[in-house]
Amino acid sequence: MAEFGRKALRSWRRLERSHAIVSAGIERALKSAGLPPLIWFRAFEEFGRQEWKSLRPFELQTPLGLEQPAVSRLLEKMTAAGMVSRQEFADDRRGWTITVTPLGRETHARMAEAYGAALSTLFLAHLGDKQARALDEILGDLLDAVRA
C-alpha cells in the first residue's frame, strides 16, 4: 500500500464522510417529499446537461459512476414509473435510446427544489464564499488530474 501523509489521508476520509452524510440527508429529503431517489435526480441532471436529447444507456455510465447492469436496472425502474421512454435505436436494433417524458421533467423540477433546499441546509450553509471557491478549485484540479 502506498504511503500517505496523515493529513492527506484524513482529508480523503473527511471528503468521503462529508459526501456520505450530505448524500444521505438529500436522500432523506427526497424520500420525505415522496420523490424518487437521488440517483434518479442525477440521471435527470445528465439529460439536462445534454439539452434533454435522447441518450444511449452507455452515455449515462460515466456521469453516474455506474456499470452497465446498474444503468439498465435504473432505466428499467424509471421507464416503469413513466419518467423516461425507451425507443429502439435506428442504427442498431439491439440498442435503444432513452428520452425523458413530460412526467420525468415535472418530477425533475420537484426533485430540484427538494435537492436545492437540502443541499443548502446540509452543505452550503456551512461554507463561506471563500471556502466554497477554494473547495471548488481544489476539487476541480483533482478531477482534471484524475481524468487525464
Side-chain angles (χ1 to χ4, degrees), residues 20-88:
I21 290 167
V22 172
S23 293
I26 293 169
E27 288 283 12
R28 283 190 304 275
L30 292 170
K31 186 174 185 175
S32 71
L35 294 166
L38 180 56
I39 191 67
W40 290 33
F41 180 73
R42 291 179 53 218
F44 286 137
E45 287 287 291
E46 185 57 27
F47 279 99
R49 273 190 282 285
Q50 301 298 327
E51 300 181 9
W52 300 100
K53 70 176 186 173
S54 295
L55 298 177
R56 301 279 307 266
F58 75 86
E59 293 176 288
L60 294 170
Q61 284 180 236
T62 299
L64 297 181
L66 299 174
E67 295 296 324
Q68 182 273 324
V71 170
S72 292
R73 285 190 301 275
L74 170 66
L75 294 174
E76 286 171 14
K77 290 177 184 177
M78 293 178 80
T79 300
M83 303 293 169
V84 297
S85 62
R86 176 181 164 163
Q87 302 84 33
E88 194 173 274

Side-chain angles (χ1 to χ4, degrees), residues 14-15 17-32 38 113-128 135:
R14 286 179 169 180
L15 179 61
R17 287 188 69 205
S18 297
H19 178 266
I21 290 167
V22 172
S23 293
I26 293 169
E27 288 283 12
R28 283 190 304 275
L30 292 170
K31 186 174 185 175
S32 71
L38 180 56
E113 287 182 34
Y115 177 90
L119 188 64
S120 292
T121 300
L122 297 165
F123 180 70
L124 300 174
H126 305 287
L127 294 175
L135 184 58

Side-chain angles (χ1 to χ4, degrees), residues 1-17 138-139 142:
M1 182 174 188
E3 282 294 317
F4 300 104
R6 279 189 201 168
K7 286 187 179 186
L9 186 55
R10 184 177 70 186
S11 68
W12 170 248
R13 288 181 177 151
R14 286 179 169 180
L15 179 61
E16 282 184 310
R17 287 188 69 205
I138 291 165
L139 294 175
L142 177 63

